Amino acid sequence: MLRIVTFLRAAMSEAQTCLLFFPGTTLNLLKFPIINPTCDRIFRRQERLKEEAAKTEDQLSSEEKKYLNHLKKQGYLVGRVGRTFQRQKSSPVVDFDPDMLSYSIDEDPRHSPRKHEEREEFTHNEVKDARWCFDTPGIVKENCVLNLLTEKEVKLVLPTHAIIPRTFILKPGMVLFLAALGRVDYLQGEKPAWFSVVASNLLPVHIATLSNADAIYEKHAGQELLKVPMGGEERMKEFPPLVPQDITLEGIGTTEAVADIKLSSAGWVAVTAHAEEKLLLRAYTPKGTALVVREPPLLPYISTIKGARIAGTAAYRTKKPPSLVENLKTTGRQ
């Protein structure tokens, strides 16, 4: 039985099971079918996963059970990989093979290689209605921030469970730090704007002012406040400095992001601003890594996934994104 972490809210098929793995370890092309997620399929799939999780839980150590309970609170489940929807098998057909009837005294037919291996295929309708997910072997990117990090730091940067967006409202003259791996300065603008961070929840986000941002980085990079990189002054001596890139954006409304600022592989910041509001930003990533402005943004309405404003701060309370199943119930779609 394989122990994996399965995202329960997957409204797709088992093919979208979420595995915990290290980057760059895919050795060959993988192809997964994604079956149309009808309400009936979603219900039957979740029932099977619950049954498998119960069987698996009996075999876990106390430490693993503790970790499992932690995952359950976030909508995850531990279980065996398998299929909920199996093809109906037809009546067996006798396949006569004369070569299998003749063997020497030294041969054992029980260990002879079979010519016709059984293989489960998808039905015509399953293939016709399915979509396919391809996972290809990765390549080493020279401008990726992960290349600069230790194994311990990589574990903090790569998400191990569902990402919950963190939204902040910044006025001109304020700065957002994503650990010590990225920084976004709000230089010019007439009104406050919203900055939604999509990154591992283990990476801290710190808000500062332009007047003290450099001092904060010098003092806390490598320390607990900014967390990654870790290792103090000695670690930062070998870590490349942050380099800036100026960005100009124009807002399109208070509920829709205008662009994503992608801070290499550390994550991205979606920027939402008032319609026709012109913003001058300055973003930083470590020297030698890629900083990309993505227009249109990947998740344009991400700033709406937030709780109430935390009094006295620039932060909003985090809010778990609604699942696809909940959205279908709300909208009445089938």
Side-chain angles (χ1 to χ4, degrees), residues 24-29 137:
T25 57
T26 303
L27 300 179
N28 205 344
L29 178 67

Side-chain angles (χ1 to χ4, degrees), residues 164-169 194-196 301-311 313-322:
I164 298 178
R166 290 169 281 176
T167 297
F168 304 83
I169 184 167
W194 293 265
F195 295 76
S196 300
Y301 303 104
I302 193 169
S303 66
T304 63
I305 307 174
K306 63 181 184 296
R309 176 85 175 270
I310 300 176
T313 74
Y316 290 84
R317 297 191 184 280
T318 57
K319 185 178 181 181
K320 205 171 188 179

Side-chain angles (χ1 to χ4, degrees), residues 32-36 122 124-132:
F32 303 99
I34 304 175
I35 302 173
N36 184 31
F122 292 104
H124 171 74
N125 286 335
E126 283 180 329
V127 174
K128 179 173 67 68
D129 297 335
R131 297 295 183 267
W132 299 87

